[in-house]
Amino acid sequence: MTKKQKLELTWIGKDDVAKLEPRILIEDAEFSYHAPKRHTDADLFDNKLIFGDNLLALKALEEDYAGNIRCIFIDPPYNTGSAFEQFGYDDGLEHSIWLSLMRDRLKILKNLMRSDGSIWISIDDNEAHYLKVICDEIFGRNNFVSNIVWQKRIQPDMRATIGAGHDHILVYAREISVFKSKLKMLPTTNEQLSRYKNPDNDPRGAWVSADFMAKGYRPNQMYEIITPAGKILKPRAGSCWRNVEPVYQKLVTEGRIWFGKDGDSVPRKKTFLSESEGIAAWTWWTNSEVGHNQEAKKEVNALFGAENGFETPKPERLLSRIIHLASDQGDIVLDSFGGSGTTGAVAHKMGRKWIMIELENHCYTHIVPRLKKIIDGVDDGGVTEDFGWKGGGGFRYYKLAPSLLEKDKWGNWVINKDYDANQLAAAVCKHEGFTYSPSESDWWAHGFSTETDFIYVTTQTLTEEQLIALSEDVGNERTLLVCCSAYKASAAMLNDKLSNLTLKKMPHALLSKCEWGKDDYSLNISKLPVATQDDEQEEVPKKKAAKKEADLFGEE
């Protein structure tokens, strides 16, 4: 049977999907700041800054935050090709590595999104169109919202053939219909407010008007209109009236149609300032509205000094527009390519909860100091004044735990000696699909999957007597998964007296679950095999043959 074909983008290594280890997160209190004490279940969420490989970090978040993230913004590394050129990699390999890097992360990000959630991806022309096709495949083409063009520069780059003045921001929804119902309007600007007038002294106040004519032909919208001055009007060629006649008559009765000061002009529909909910966003975002690269660098330089600047920050105004459109106060905003920390900084000022992930050292050289200034109320740049930010809040700083399993000196997989009992229990809970929540009353209940199903994790070898006592303590109304190093109980005993227990030996039961001991899933091209001289010599005849074929067919 032949494999059914489908429309998709293919690349080298597309079918190679990593089996990720779901790590636990370990708080590093040295870098946490004003993290609140937890008193109730409502306090369980804290803003999170995670230092580590972002693919592993996303996997660590997946179980706890699936379906909980309202707004995701990512600014992944742009594939400029310059790094690959340095090492002499083939162009196809270059694109393939980048595409795999994005595909693996986007799949988890999709799982994290709420039904009304959205993802906003900043990208340039080098990979924007490939990325669009991948996103169609992952999120569904029907969930594509728009390709926003952000004017990132204030003048052309004179060194370029045609200077790049923009970046793309690809926007996808988790569920397009739900997203549309929650998408907010943009606030009316002073320039837009100046357009509201009241030439007829309408008691409802100032208004703007829009043409009552629309493009297209609809038979039930081709009626005659008689103006107050007695002039008979019909739609222009290729046009029709915007509404059917009964709706038009209702608008006239309500005083919502304007025929000009002399009452003989083409009708226009009035929209009152008092009824306006704002302005609908469109796909052209100018630098005067949302900032530009130079503005972003000035914001970062003001915080850290020019000598400690950041190469590719985003302006706070750009993030504030995205967060405003796509979330409400209290919602969680996620950025898995934290960079200089702009997403978390703006989300904090706007009253959102946030999660950021960053692998590089600027996680603690830039992001941590920046957030501390915001919390202390001493950051007066960016959008601080726009939102009246005065300080407050806090965050917790986490690092990824090491791999749960490591090899001993004989090459056997064993439990990592760096794990204490609590960390081990939490990690095994993740692997087995349990929520880690140690019970205060039942010493053996380290976590639960349902109200009556629990898990117990120990490195001990459990005897038959211990298992019987444990089974009796669990009782007939509950079940318990026991993960231990070994146990001594016959099959008959398990079926007869221990029917409420399920026993698994560690680490044997975990070995096939994922890739162990791998800490780096980043785009680290220095670790890839570089083309050898023999490879290059092998390519020469192929290139000559290709050129000969092109010459034969008159191709350029």
Side-chain angles (χ1 to χ4, degrees):
M1 182 181 293
T2 59
K3 184 179 178 181
K4 186 178 180 180
Q5 288 186 313
K6 62 178 181 179
L7 179 64
E8 63 176 328
L9 177 66
T10 61
W11 63 85
I12 302 166
K14 181 178 182 179
D15 295 332
D16 299 332
V17 180
K19 291 180 69 176
L20 299 172
E21 177 186 357
R23 307 279 182 93
I24 61 170
L25 299 174
I26 300 175
E27 183 179 358
D28 187 342
E30 178 186 353
F31 293 108
S32 294
Y33 197 65
H34 287 193
K37 293 181 179 179
R38 299 184 177 122
H39 298 291
T40 67
D41 289 343
D43 299 325
L44 288 179
F45 181 87
D46 298 319
N47 297 318
K48 289 179 171 61
L49 176 58
I50 303 169
F51 176 65
D53 180 275
N54 67 358
L55 185 57
L56 287 171
L58 287 172
K59 188 65 178 177
L61 293 170
E62 187 174 26
E63 183 179 339
D64 294 333
Y65 290 95
N68 282 310
I69 308 298
R70 178 75 185 280
C71 174
I72 298 172
F73 173 81
I74 58 172
D75 184 16
Y78 296 175
N79 186 13
T80 63
S82 58
F84 288 89
E85 291 168 8
Q86 177 185 352
F87 290 95
Y89 294 116
D90 177 78
D91 182 66
L93 178 62
E94 166 196 337
H95 289 288
S96 295
I97 293 170
W98 192 89
L99 291 169
S100 291
L101 169 92
M102 293 305 302
R103 184 271 315 273
D104 295 344
R105 286 152 178 80
L106 290 171
K107 282 191 170 183
I108 299 179
L109 288 168
K110 177 188 176 183
N111 293 338
L112 295 174
M113 292 162 64
R114 277 173 29 174
S115 61
D116 59 353
S118 57
I119 183 169
W120 306 64
I121 311 171
S122 177
I123 195 69
D124 70 357
D125 283 331
N126 286 293
E127 295 290 358
H129 307 90
Y130 287 105
L131 182 60
K132 168 70 167 65
V133 179
I134 297 179
C135 288
D136 284 346
E137 189 174 321
I138 293 172
F139 297 101
R141 196 170 182 179
N142 58 310
N143 287 315
F144 172 67
V145 178
S146 66
N147 175 16
I148 293 168
V149 178
W150 167 48
Q151 186 187 20
K152 66 179 181 179
R153 298 179 66 94
I154 56 176
Q155 60 185 16
D157 183 353
M158 302 305 293
R159 301 166 296 179
T161 305
I162 298 179
H166 73 278
D167 275 346
H168 304 267
I169 300 177
L170 299 180
V171 187
Y172 281 82
R174 185 68 175 85
E175 295 180 26
I176 189 69
S177 59
V178 185
F179 170 77
K180 283 183 176 179
S181 69
K182 298 288 189 70
L183 182 66
K184 299 219 289 284
M185 306 284 277
L186 292 174
T188 309
T189 66
N190 290 332
E191 179 185 352
Q192 291 160 344
L193 286 173
S194 67
R195 299 172 191 164
Y196 284 81
K197 309 291 182 183
N198 193 3
D200 59 349
N201 294 317
D202 194 304
R204 289 166 288 189
W207 49 268
V208 291
S209 64
D211 194 349
F212 191 66
M213 215 174 290
K215 291 182 179 179
Y217 176 83
R218 296 178 179 85
N220 60 343
Q221 292 171 224
M222 302 300 294
Y223 48 91
E224 291 183 346
I225 286 179
I226 302 176
T227 72
K231 190 174 182 180
I232 298 176
L233 300 174
K234 294 182 179 180
R236 293 187 294 267
S239 301
C240 62
W241 299 122
R242 191 167 294 277
N243 298 109
V244 295
E245 191 168 8
V247 174
Y248 161 73
Q249 294 294 351
K250 184 173 184 292
L251 292 171
V252 170
T253 302
E254 294 175 350
R256 294 179 180 271
I257 296 295
W258 171 246
F259 292 95
K261 63 179 182 179
D262 296 324
D264 59 355
S265 299
V266 175
R268 299 180 66 84
K269 182 182 176 183
K270 295 161 69 173
T271 299
F272 294 93
L273 178 59
S274 58
E275 299 171 346
S276 174
E277 296 179 355
I279 305 297
W282 65 337
T283 58
W284 171 235
W285 290 12
T286 65
N287 53 38
S288 62
E289 295 176 342
V290 296
H292 45 77
N293 285 345
Q294 286 180 269
E295 178 179 315
K297 288 186 177 182
K298 286 181 180 178
E299 289 172 352
V300 173
N301 290 347
L303 292 168
F304 307 110
E307 68 280 3
N308 296 312
F310 193 79
E311 186 62 29
T312 56
K314 292 294 181 284
E316 289 199 7
R317 287 196 290 160
L318 175 66
L319 268 299
S320 70
R321 172 172 287 193
I322 292 170
I323 293 170
H324 166 79
L325 289 171
S327 69
D328 295 295
Q329 286 204 359
D331 288 337
I332 304 175
V333 177
L334 169 67
D335 184 348
S336 56
F337 294 88
S340 63
T342 303
T343 303
V346 175
H348 202 98
K349 294 176 184 179
M350 294 178 69
R352 273 60 166 177
K353 301 171 184 176
W354 54 264
I355 300 172
M356 284 194 292
I357 304 167
E358 180 52 52
L359 172 62
E360 302 297 335
N361 290 341
H362 47 258
C363 187
Y364 49 84
T365 61
H366 286 71
I367 299 180
V368 169
R370 182 176 192 172
L371 293 172
K372 285 182 176 180
K373 290 182 178 181
I374 292 168
I375 292 165
D376 292 340
V378 296
D379 170 17
D380 57 2
V383 297
T384 296
E385 187 176 338
D386 295 341
F387 295 97
W389 179 253
K390 303 297 183 184
F395 67 91
R396 296 186 189 275
Y397 182 99
Y398 293 91
K399 295 187 293 187
L400 283 168
S403 183
L404 176 60
L405 301 187
E406 62 181 359
K407 286 188 174 181
D408 63 16
K409 61 182 179 181
W410 294 282
N412 300 313
W413 288 108
V414 296
I415 299 295
N416 193 320
K417 61 182 178 298
D418 291 333
Y419 275 70
D420 62 27
N422 292 328
Q423 293 168 350
L424 175 62
V428 175
C429 279
K430 270 189 177 291
H431 285 282
E432 296 295 337
F434 284 72
T435 299
Y436 176 64
S437 180
S439 171
E440 294 181 359
S441 56
D442 297 311
W443 59 270
W444 42 263
H446 288 145
F448 64 90
S449 64
T450 67
E451 292 182 356
T452 58
D453 187 37
F454 301 89
I455 186 172
Y456 170 52
V457 182
T458 179
T459 55
Q460 294 180 355
T461 296
L462 299 179
T463 65
E464 191 171 286
E465 292 76 14
Q466 288 174 312
L467 290 171
I468 292 173
L470 183 59
S471 176
E472 290 175 350
D473 201 6
V474 172
N476 296 327
E477 303 298 322
R478 298 182 292 187
T479 55
L480 181 67
L481 171 62
V482 180
C483 298
C484 56
S485 295
Y487 57 86
K488 297 176 180 178
S490 64
M493 174 66 71
L494 290 173
N495 292 328
D496 184 20
K497 293 187 177 181
L498 306 177
S499 59
N500 58 351
L501 303 185
T502 301
L503 304 180
K504 288 187 177 183
K505 293 180 181 180
M506 297 190 305
H508 179 75
L510 301 172
L511 290 179
S512 63
K513 286 185 174 291
C514 59
E515 293 179 311
W516 299 102
K518 185 170 181 178
D519 296 318
D520 186 3
Y521 289 88
S522 63
L523 179 56
N524 193 341
I525 64 170
S526 63
K527 295 183 180 179
L528 297 174
V530 182
T532 65
Q533 187 173 358
D534 291 340
D535 294 333
E536 293 174 0
Q537 289 175 351
E538 189 178 324
E539 284 295 312
V540 172
K542 293 180 182 178
K543 291 180 178 178
K544 286 183 176 178
K547 185 177 187 303
K548 184 177 181 181
E549 183 178 347
D551 291 340
L552 284 172
F553 289 95
E555 297 176 1
E556 295 183 359

